[in-house]
Amino acid sequence: MSTRSPEQTAAKDCPTCQRRRIKCDRGLPTCRKCGKRNLECPGYGLRLKWVQGVASRGNLRGRAIPSQNAPTNSSSSPEDVTAIHNLPGDSSLANWKSRPAPLHFPSGIFPSPTSELGVSQARPLHVSRLLSWFNERVAHRLAWVPQQNAWRHMILPMAESSETVMSSILAIAAHDLATEYAPTDVGHGTFQQMSKNYQNKSLALLAQELNGLSISSNTALETSTTSAYTLAAVIILCNNEFMKPESAGWRVHLSAAREIILAAKGRPYRAHQLASIEEFLMLEFYEASVWADLTTFQNYNDTPRVPPTGAENAVFTDYIRIIDQITRLERRKSQPGPVEQPPSQCGPIQDIHSQIDAARDNMMQLSAALHFPSEDDQRGFELVIWMYYHATIIYSYQALGDESSTYDVSTSRDEILRWVPFLSETRDGMFAQDLVWPLFTSGSELRGDPANQQVIRECFNNVMRISRILDRARVLAFLERWWSEPGTSTSWIDMARRQSQDPKLDILVV
């Protein structure tokens, strides 16, 4: 008989074991029986999926909205637990470095998809702590530059007015906090399950909101406001899935965000109080889509995308727009038959390089306009600008080539290697989340260079220690396969294209 305590088990069998008609061990966050057979265990709460053609009226007619895949009831939540007293509070977050103390969970208030969390009511202690965790830790890692953090000053306040946004924020905060515990610790499983429950709650509320968006009787202002909150929740859930990218759940949320944005284009009235927030969220969607497309080959979306213009949070957008352009050119180049390059979309590689130069100059001007706590921080930001400059140049040659050029990409590679160790080890990891792209591109130019390969390994490990693992361990594993397979592929892009046929080898460079 199992000796595990009730806090470590779910209240019902997982859907996979139910379908196989076997007894589930109900382990958290997923059951061990599924793991032993390499089966995907979806957990124990509400499951929703995005399906086509649910909305039949209004701006979302025929578009995808989430539908319930399993009933929501009180038994779908795990054992109730009380407020989490040992989480770091607001005042201790900045100095809290070690693993949290063990938690004790007598019966009390555990969030479930059916629980009512009125944002205007007095909050349970664990909700306040999770919001603080999002504010102090998660928002920092989501932003390009901490001094310009829209996640704090735009998105977090939305939770006061939207239970859907609140649930999404709590989901990503709980997921992030779970990683502070060892996988065998009860805290890890508890926060993982808490994250799943809040995510399920957000999905259930999203279904209602998207259904409301399809009702044509809504006023333009009501529709715009609901759309902004809905898009915020979906983008947050997408970032939550970026923390576990091997499940590819982020692709589902990116698709949902695309449908919401497409529906918003038909609205006659856009000048509402949340317009700037919508602009920020559309920028987040654009940037996430570009990174997703970087290593997408089987279902690459060739539809041109235009980033929002004039957004105050468009920090690295100039570089990302160029990366998008290079990827689009490479995909067209790899297609059989003649290659068509619309002049309005793509130009020769010399034109791309002039755009990269302009992007660097624009970001240097932005650096002078931002207010950094110290000159060292500003210098660190300027180093990131230069590393993105060199990384994007490397990518342009890798993807497009230029036989007439005398430029040696090893020059850009060495410039990145010169400074990236310093930024990955900086005292507070201010820019650690921004280093994956330059690490990846410079690493892809290190075949036959074991000394610098070790530098890349160490920097990747520093970034993962400071700014979460996300898909970075698999990105590093990809580079290591690339280093060890000389002659099998002409470029890392060819290798990624070949491996993309196996979903287990798909990577996300974020």
Side-chain angles (χ1 to χ4, degrees):
M1 179 178 297
S2 175
T3 59
R4 285 186 296 173
S5 62
E7 295 84 7
Q8 294 173 278
T9 59
K12 62 183 292 185
D13 293 351
C14 80
T16 301
C17 288
Q18 290 178 13
R19 187 171 62 253
R20 296 175 62 211
R21 298 185 179 180
I22 63 173
K23 183 173 178 59
C24 179
D25 63 46
R26 301 184 181 183
L28 294 175
T30 57
C31 82
R32 292 179 296 177
K33 288 191 175 181
C34 289
K36 288 180 180 178
R37 290 187 172 269
N38 292 322
L39 298 174
E40 182 178 357
C41 182
Y44 306 94
L46 171 70
R47 292 182 299 134
L48 298 165
K49 65 180 181 179
W50 294 90
V51 298
Q52 284 295 125
V54 177
S56 60
R57 295 180 293 162
N59 291 333
L60 283 176
R61 181 173 62 252
R63 300 204 182 279
I65 66 173
S67 67
Q68 187 166 309
N69 213 23
T72 306
N73 52 56
S74 58
S75 64
S76 67
S77 62
E79 297 294 326
D80 288 348
V81 298
T82 191
I84 301 170
H85 297 285
N86 290 324
L87 279 177
D90 299 0
S91 60
S92 62
L93 275 170
N95 300 319
W96 188 71
K97 301 292 184 183
S98 60
R99 186 181 68 81
L103 307 182
H104 303 283
F105 306 116
S107 60
I109 47 168
F110 194 98
S112 71
T114 56
S115 66
E116 291 299 327
L117 179 61
V119 294
S120 62
Q121 301 171 1
R123 292 193 183 114
L125 178 60
H126 76 272
V127 172
S128 297
R129 300 297 171 82
L130 287 177
L131 291 175
S132 294
W133 188 263
F134 180 89
N135 181 54
E136 297 294 331
R137 300 294 185 88
V138 179
H140 175 88
R141 286 189 280 266
L142 291 176
W144 286 103
V145 184
Q147 282 71 27
Q148 198 152 319
N149 199 325
W151 294 100
R152 286 195 183 111
H153 68 78
M154 282 187 177
I155 305 304
L156 187 57
M158 296 177 76
E160 297 293 338
S161 305
S162 169
E163 192 174 359
T164 313
V165 176
M166 170 70 81
S167 299
S168 299
I169 288 174
L170 296 178
I172 192 173
H175 191 139
D176 186 77
L177 186 53
T179 62
E180 295 288 329
Y181 296 84
T184 56
D185 195 294
V186 63
H188 179 86
T190 299
F191 284 116
Q192 286 280 28
Q193 188 60 45
M194 185 181 292
S195 176
K196 286 183 178 181
N197 280 356
Y198 275 126
Q199 175 166 299
N200 289 338
K201 183 183 180 73
S202 180
L203 287 169
L205 292 168
L206 277 170
Q208 300 172 16
E209 290 182 1
L210 287 170
N211 198 36
L213 284 175
S214 68
I215 299 174
S216 57
S217 62
N218 287 345
T219 67
L221 181 57
E222 288 173 338
T223 301
S224 295
T225 302
T226 302
S227 177
Y229 284 116
T230 302
L231 185 58
V234 171
I235 294 295
I236 295 168
L237 292 178
C238 182
N239 278 280
N240 189 32
E241 293 294 338
F242 279 154
M243 299 173 72
K244 41 185 177 180
E246 65 278 0
S247 68
W250 54 270
R251 292 189 184 275
V252 177
H253 295 300
L254 271 184
S255 177
R258 181 180 296 110
E259 299 300 335
I260 295 170
I261 291 170
L262 287 174
K265 288 183 178 179
R267 294 202 304 262
Y269 183 82
R270 295 296 303 276
H272 58 95
Q273 58 182 343
L274 298 178
S276 60
I277 295 176
E278 269 194 318
E279 187 178 64
F280 164 71
L281 293 168
M282 286 189 286
L283 184 64
E284 287 291 309
F285 164 77
Y286 171 79
E287 294 175 349
S289 298
V290 172
W291 294 122
D293 284 347
L294 186 71
T295 51
T296 297
F297 300 92
Q298 298 300 104
N299 298 302
Y300 176 73
N301 181 8
D302 195 44
T303 305
R305 292 182 299 263
V306 180
T309 57
E312 63 172 318
N313 294 281
V315 179
F316 280 76
T317 306
D318 284 350
Y319 279 136
I320 294 171
R321 178 184 52 78
I322 299 167
I323 293 168
D324 185 25
Q325 183 176 338
I326 295 170
T327 300
R328 197 172 305 283
L329 272 171
E330 195 282 331
R331 298 300 184 271
R332 291 196 180 112
K333 175 184 172 184
S334 66
Q335 292 175 353
V339 179
E340 295 184 4
Q341 298 180 6
S344 60
Q345 292 294 325
C346 311
I349 193 167
Q350 293 83 1
D351 179 54
I352 289 176
H353 289 172
S354 67
Q355 293 180 47
I356 297 173
D357 290 342
R360 176 202 58 204
D361 295 342
N362 289 340
M363 289 196 64
M364 284 297 183
Q365 292 178 9
L366 174 64
S367 175
L370 292 175
H371 299 287
F372 291 92
S374 68
E375 291 184 2
D376 286 343
D377 290 336
Q378 183 168 11
R379 174 62 175 159
F381 179 63
E382 291 174 355
L383 287 176
V384 175
I385 294 172
W386 276 104
M387 279 191 280
Y388 264 71
Y389 170 80
H390 289 295
T392 308
I393 285 181
I394 292 173
Y395 180 50
S396 71
Y397 280 102
Q398 291 173 335
L400 306 177
D402 185 3
E403 296 180 357
S404 64
S405 174
T406 59
Y407 185 79
D408 186 355
V409 295
S410 64
T411 302
S412 287
R413 177 201 65 194
D414 294 343
E415 281 299 304
I416 294 173
L417 290 170
R418 179 184 177 190
W419 294 110
V420 75
F422 166 75
L423 283 181
S424 71
E425 298 169 0
T426 188
R427 65 190 187 281
D428 56 1
M430 178 176 289
F431 302 110
Q433 68 271 17
D434 304 331
L435 302 182
V436 179
W437 173 239
L439 279 173
F440 177 77
T441 52
S442 60
S444 66
E445 292 290 325
L446 290 176
R447 271 183 166 177
D449 188 348
N452 279 320
Q453 289 171 9
Q454 185 58 30
V455 172
I456 295 295
R457 287 190 187 94
E458 292 173 357
C459 290
F460 259 106
N461 287 328
N462 283 335
V463 169
M464 289 187 282
R465 173 178 53 82
I466 295 169
S467 191
R468 295 295 182 254
I469 293 176
L470 295 127
D471 208 25
R472 292 153 187 175
R474 297 201 312 158
V475 171
L476 177 58
F478 175 89
L479 284 176
E480 290 174 331
R481 288 195 300 273
W482 167 247
W483 296 334
S484 65
E485 297 181 13
T488 58
S489 301
T490 58
S491 71
W492 73 263
I493 301 173
D494 292 333
M495 179 174 161
R497 179 179 280 109
R498 188 178 70 251
Q499 294 187 357
S500 68
Q501 300 175 14
D502 183 351
K504 293 182 180 179
L505 298 176
D506 193 17
I507 59 170
L508 183 63
V509 185
V510 294

